[in-house]
Amino acid sequence: MLKDAIARVPPPSRRAFLQRGLTLGGLSLLTGCATDDQDSIEQALTSISHFNDRAQALLFDPTRLAPTYAASMITRPFPFNAYYGEEEIRVVDGDAWRLELSGLIADRKPWSLAGLRALPQQSQITRHICVEGWSAIGQWGGMPFAHFLRQVGADLSAKYVGFKCADDYFTSIDMATALHPQTIMALTYDGAPLPPRYGFPMKLRMPTKLGYKNPKHVQAIFVTNTYSGGYWEDQGYNWFGGS
C-alpha cells in the first residue's frame, strides 16, 4: 500500500516522496493506475519528472543572468546545508587534494588547488535558493566553469557534466548550465578561502540552480553523454533543478 511505501522512505527523501505524492489523485485519473500499485505510480511519476526536466531545459536561457546584490545584503552567517549534520563536515587536505578529470575531456591531468587559483577569477553576490523553501545571499569567488572546460578541452557538445565529492555526494548538470557565465568553480567565500562548511577546497556555484545542484568538496569532474543522476535526484528530486 502507498502508506507502507511512504513509511519505508527515510527523511528527508520522504519529504520529496510526499511532495510528489500530492499529484497521485490527478495521476490516477490521467494514467488509470491504481494508487496501491507502487510500480505503476513510480513509473508515472518518473515520466512526469522527466517531462518537467525537458520543459525546464527548453525554457532555460543560457544568456540570462541571475540577480546580483550589494555586499550589505549578504546573509550573515550564511547557513550550512548538507545531507548530514554540521558536526560531520568533511575536512579535506588542500595540499594533497587533486581535482580528477575523466570522460569527454582532452587533457585529463589532475589539477591542484594552486593551479586552479592561478586561473582567471571572478566574484559574484548571488542568492542561494534551497528546495526546502529558504534562501540566503552570499559572495562567491572563483574561475568561470566555462573557461575551465575550454582550458581542458572538454567536449562542449556533450549532454552532461557530472561531479563526485569528498563527502560522497554526487550530482550532474546540463552542459548549457555548465557554460552559463555565472557558473563558477568557487574557491572563496566572502573574500576568504572557502571554509570547510561551504565546501573547501572547491564547490560549483550556480545561481541558476537550486541548492542541491551546487556540489561541495568537489574532487572529480566528468563529461559524458550518459545520464548519471545525482544523490537527491535518484531519490525523486527533479534533475534539472533550476530556472
Side-chain angles (χ1 to χ4, degrees):
M1 297 294 290
L2 180 59
K3 65 179 181 180
D4 296 323
I6 292 173
R8 290 195 299 269
V9 181
S13 54
R14 184 181 300 170
R15 178 175 58 249
F17 186 92
L18 290 170
Q19 288 172 340
R20 295 171 69 191
L22 293 175
T23 65
L24 290 180
L27 186 65
S28 63
L29 294 175
L30 290 172
T31 66
C33 68
T35 56
D36 60 355
D37 183 347
Q38 184 59 31
D39 289 340
S40 295
I41 290 172
E42 203 54 42
Q43 289 174 10
L45 288 173
T46 297
S47 296
I48 291 172
S49 181
H50 289 169
F51 174 82
N52 288 338
D53 287 334
R54 291 192 295 270
Q56 289 179 69
L58 288 172
L59 292 172
F60 180 71
D61 182 349
T63 65
R64 183 178 180 182
L65 300 181
T68 57
Y69 302 89
S72 61
M73 300 179 70
I74 293 174
T75 304
R76 303 181 191 279
F78 191 89
F80 166 80
N81 192 242
Y83 73 95
Y84 46 83
E86 193 164 356
E87 70 280 359
E88 300 177 75
I89 291 173
R90 306 307 196 267
V91 177
V92 178
D93 182 348
D95 293 331
W97 176 87
R98 294 293 182 272
L99 177 64
E100 303 292 335
L101 305 178
S102 63
L104 303 175
I105 295 175
D107 185 357
R108 300 188 189 123
K109 74 172 186 293
W111 282 73
S112 67
L113 186 54
L116 293 180
R117 286 173 172 163
L119 295 176
Q121 310 282 301
Q122 68 179 34
S123 180
Q124 60 175 249
I125 302 177
T126 50
R127 185 181 297 276
H128 172 103
I129 301 175
C130 181
V131 71
E132 295 176 335
W134 58 268
S135 68
I137 295 171
Q139 182 176 20
W140 312 91
M143 77 291 304
F145 194 35
H147 175 90
F148 180 79
L149 290 174
R150 292 186 174 96
Q151 172 108 3
V152 299
D155 181 355
L156 303 185
S157 68
K159 293 181 180 180
Y160 309 110
V161 182
F163 307 89
K164 297 178 182 178
C165 306
D167 60 359
D168 298 323
Y169 195 75
F170 63 100
T171 190
S172 57
I173 62 172
D174 57 296
M175 183 60 77
T177 299
L179 299 177
H180 188 275
Q182 288 176 308
T183 298
I184 64 172
M185 301 168 74
L187 303 176
T188 67
Y189 179 76
D190 204 11
L194 194 67
R197 71 194 309 264
Y198 300 148
F200 180 85
M202 188 270 284
K203 74 166 285 172
L204 200 74
R205 173 61 190 150
M206 298 172 285
T208 61
K209 294 285 193 186
L210 291 171
Y212 67 89
K213 298 299 295 186
N214 290 243
K216 300 187 292 187
H217 312 289
V218 176
Q219 65 180 10
I221 296 173
F222 59 93
V223 176
T224 180
N225 284 312
T226 302
Y227 175 79
S228 56
Y231 179 88
W232 288 119
E233 297 88 335
D234 291 353
Q235 299 182 57
Y237 283 45
N238 281 121
W239 176 79
F240 194 84
S243 59

